[in-house]
DNA sequence: CTGAAAGCGCTTACAG
DNA sequence: CTGAAAGCGCTTACAG
């Protein structure tokens, strides 16, 4: 690889001049500039960002770090795409990591990102691992934007969805269809999203004077298998629910499987509403009614907040709450007469 | 941020010694090592990878570049996860980019990756853009592995799936069920995957002496809408197909939608086989028979080849062909009597 | 086992 | 408008 020195030699100028040309400094004679540009062309020179970053004070790496639980979860691939597209329009690239909610992986990746001197990091905080992120913010003064989940205690820039409202609307719809025994499967209870969705469920029940029953509340882990198991458990109840509200995409697939395995056919035999919409929700059996989270918009918004913070570290932190939307398809019907 | 110099001062040793401790050199006195480690701890020092890379000859960045058409396509998120997981076990992080098959985006991202001095790049080559990749390989001597698609002309490390065989088996199955008019919807004809899947289709036809009909061959663009449109076109034929072979995941969803809109119910009214399996394929209506590509394994394998090449640039290039698998569910039935 | 010194490829006041 | 020189934060022969 040719270096800046090589270019200087080739063009017969000093390295300072080459650097000026590279940085578009106005005070270089047009003829000199041309000579340098020709030399760059001839040598196929490319400036080393690594060396540049070492030198330039406050030098931006133009790299963002994005750490999500799992890129194979369609919600998070929507988020990732949103981040990436916004970053691209601002000439940023992104380092992507899947943490699997594993503190060890998170630590490794966070370390790598910092060592690579990313300009900032976007992540949904892992419950119980706040310290790490707070250190990032306070000690390392690294811009961080939280997404999907809130960071209890501190309040960095955050973008979340109104989970309470999304859950409330879903459950209210089920109640209006006549359902009184509504099962809910939430994700890990340590997640703020799980708690908020449960709150929305409780509020809807309370508003419509439906008595809550703790047997109808099940905890999963956001994966397919837990959706299957918890639905099974619900169906095994002496008085099983007539409707299901399943709080994430993969668990909903599992729930559907469990329901089918019993020979049940929604929306006739029972009703189901999922959380997270997906391109194939309309092709499921039955076409699935879901609470749509704007994953792509969440990603874009987080990237925007991060770039703003990078540009102005002193700006006040903001909390953006995006609205979910109930997408009604065909998985809900009236409650069977009791 | 504390620098190595700060640590040296704090520990009362030279910077060389600190560096030795950092690099795990055995020839440092245990007591000295302890002093340095304590100083590092006290100062919260983290070594700058940027400075390190500038200095270490042939210094590895421990970053891989991965450029895929679209992270929102589940096949590619499987691939991405495979790459990432393998990279993680070897202490590598990955920069992820979605090219949308857009040469301009590809150029920008490739540039960024190089400037960031990634140690190597994994990508499915964009048709007609071979030059760029060849330059990477020859001029910049940057390790590159191609994935999913072959690079016509040269032969870098490549991992692909046996598309011909996957398509052949799918179509043969349809023929054995009695289908004679089998529609196929391929992706962009410039992609090697599209051509190979079409070849497999033709071979199956030919083996079983079914006359090909060019009206049954439609070209899509791998997206949902084209699956919908091309299926519509097929159904509008004077003599429509009784079975459909749709060559990618998103187009299959579109095809299913088109079929449902006509009030048709597979597997009774027609049959359909998709390409690419997905976690929710079993929950579709009907549960979908598909050719499963091992996306995760493809990603892992590509990452493995890349790291091997980085370690030994002189090793001969290898072409790995992974086998697809026909996953039979319930979207295919006997052809209706003519 | 440890230190002084050179240098990786750039940028940037400081002179001129 | 241009150049000489210092320095970003590290590593590594070379001495001792």
């Amino acid at each position: 690889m040719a270096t800046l020195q090589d270019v200087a030699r080739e063009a017969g100028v000093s390295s300072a001049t080459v650097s000026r040309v590279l940085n578009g400094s106005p005070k270089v004679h047009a003829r000199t500039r041309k000579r340098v540009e020709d030399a760059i062309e001839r040598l196929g020179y490319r400036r080393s960002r690594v060396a540049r970053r070492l030198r330039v004070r406050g030098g931006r790496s133009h790299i963002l770090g994005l750490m999500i639980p799992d890129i194979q979860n369609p919600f998070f691939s929507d988020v990732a795409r949103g981040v990436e597209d916004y970053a691209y329009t601002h000439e940023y690239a992104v380092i992507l990591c899947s943490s699997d909610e594993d503190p060890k992986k998170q630590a490794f990746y966070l370390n790598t990102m910092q060592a690579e001197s990313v300009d900032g990091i976007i992540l949904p905080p892992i419950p119980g691992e706040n310290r790490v992120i707070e250190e990032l913010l306070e000690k390392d003064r690294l811009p961080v934007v939280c997404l999907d989940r809130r960071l209890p205690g501190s309040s960095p820039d955050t973008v979340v969805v109104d989970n309470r409202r999304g859950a409330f609307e879903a459950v209210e719809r089920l109640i209006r269809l006549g359902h009184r025994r509504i099962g809910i499967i939430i994700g890990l209870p340590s997640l703020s999203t799980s708690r908020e969705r449960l709150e929305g469920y409780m509020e809807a029940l309370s508003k419509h004077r439906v008595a809550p029953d703790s047997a109808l509340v099940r905890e999963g882990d956001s994966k397919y298998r837990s959706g299957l198991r918890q639905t099974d458990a619900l169906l095994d109840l002496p008085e099983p629910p007539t409707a299901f509200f399943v709080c994430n995409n993969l668990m909903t697939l599992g729930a559907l499987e469990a329901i089918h395995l019993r020979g049940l056919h929604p929306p006739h035999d029972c009703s189901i509403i999922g959380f997270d919409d997906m391109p194939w929700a309309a092709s499921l059996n039955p076409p699935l009614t879901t609470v749509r989270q704007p994953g792509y918009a969440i990603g874009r918004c987080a990237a925007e907040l991060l770039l703003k913070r990078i540009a102005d570290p002193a700006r006040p932190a903001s909390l953006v709450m995006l609205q979910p939307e109930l997408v009604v398809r065909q998985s809900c019907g009236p409650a069977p007469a009791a």
Side-chain angles (χ1 to χ4, degrees), chain A:
Chain A
M1 285 291 273
T3 74
L4 185 143
Q5 285 298 345
D6 298 333
V7 174
R9 211 172 297 123
E10 176 81 12
V13 298
S14 76
S15 56
T17 299
V18 177
S19 179
R20 287 191 191 98
V21 171
L22 254 19
N23 292 306
S25 160
K27 28 189 180 172
V28 177
H29 194 97
R31 213 169 47 228
T32 314
R33 177 184 309 280
K34 183 78 172 71
R35 282 228 310 281
V36 172
E37 281 165 352
D38 287 349
I40 288 174
E41 177 67 32
R42 271 199 301 282
L43 266 41
Y45 166 77
R46 340 188 84 132
R47 170 164 63 178
S48 158
R49 275 225 229 183
V50 174
R52 176 159 216 269
R53 265 156 66 189
L54 185 57
R55 191 61 241 272
V56 179
R57 64 190 191 89
R60 300 283 150 73
S61 64
H62 274 237
I63 301 188
L64 260 34
L66 173 63
M67 188 161 56
I68 54 183
D70 180 13
I71 189 66
Q72 288 177 288
N73 179 321
F75 169 66
F76 286 114
S77 47
D78 287 354
V79 169
R81 192 63 209 269
V83 170
E84 196 200 330
D85 284 358
Y86 189 86
Y88 174 72
T89 62
H90 293 258
E91 304 195 308
Y92 264 78
V94 2
I95 294 191
L96 179 88
C97 309
S98 295
S99 70
D100 288 321
E101 316 271 6
D102 174 351
K104 266 213 300 254
K105 276 198 185 180
Q106 168 166 293
F108 167 76
Y109 281 133
L110 248 24
N111 241 310
T112 304
M113 285 178 179
Q114 274 201 83
E116 275 318 314
S117 61
V118 297
D119 290 343
I121 294 179
I122 297 175
L123 45 61
I126 298 180
E129 292 294 308
N130 309 341
R131 280 289 301 277
V132 187
I133 298 171
E134 280 159 12
E135 273 193 15
L136 239 45
L137 282 162
E138 284 157 29
K139 216 169 117 198
D140 304 315
R141 311 216 148 258
L142 192 63
V144 172
V145 173
C146 291
L147 155 160
D148 187 48
R149 283 119 64 156
R150 303 180 193 215
L151 188 66
S154 11
S155 46
D157 292 302
T158 301
V159 17
V160 291
V161 141
D162 192 341
N163 288 295
R164 220 204 80 274
R165 187 167 147 245
F168 178 87
E169 288 183 0
V171 176
E172 182 164 65
R173 179 170 186 88
L174 291 170
I175 295 173
R176 292 214 159 115
L177 284 164
H179 296 277
R180 289 299 174 268
R181 288 191 67 72
I182 302 171
I184 178 172
I185 303 175
I186 62 173
L188 294 173
S190 51
L191 299 177
S192 63
T193 49
S194 300
R195 290 195 304 270
E196 290 164 11
R197 289 170 201 176
L198 182 57
E199 279 170 35
Y201 166 91
M202 288 300 186
E203 274 182 51
L205 254 40
S206 145
K207 174 178 171 193
H208 294 274
R209 306 184 182 286
V210 177
D213 177 349
S214 64
L216 294 176
V217 178
R218 311 286 312 186
E219 292 168 3
D221 67 355
S222 300
K223 305 259 178 72
Y224 180 91
R225 293 213 59 77
S226 73
L228 187 88
R229 284 210 195 106
Q230 300 304 333
T231 304
D232 255 340
L234 248 14
L235 287 168
D236 283 338
L237 248 33
E239 202 183 342
T242 60
F244 299 84
F245 174 47
V246 190
C247 292
N248 108 320
N249 48 15
L250 300 179
M251 291 197 298
T252 304
L253 257 19
L256 235 27
E257 175 74 3
I259 289 170
H260 286 146
L261 284 175
R262 304 262 178 148
L264 264 26
H265 296 284
H268 308 295
D269 304 326
C270 62
S271 293
I272 177 168
I273 298 186
F275 214 99
D276 294 329
D277 199 27
M278 340 162 233
W280 56 89
S283 310
L284 292 174
N285 178 24
L288 190 70
T289 296
T290 65
V291 180
R292 170 184 291 158
Q293 293 199 73
Y296 184 85
I298 292 172
R300 270 193 81 89
C301 181
E304 192 184 337
L305 286 184
L306 187 58
L307 293 195
K308 281 190 183 158
R309 167 131 337 265
I310 290 168
D312 174 13
R315 84 192 275 276
S318 46
L319 169 72
V320 178
M321 183 178 283
L322 267 23
Q323 291 304 318
E325 177 196 358
L326 184 66
V327 182
V328 176
R329 284 188 276 248
Q330 301 155 41
S331 60
C332 297

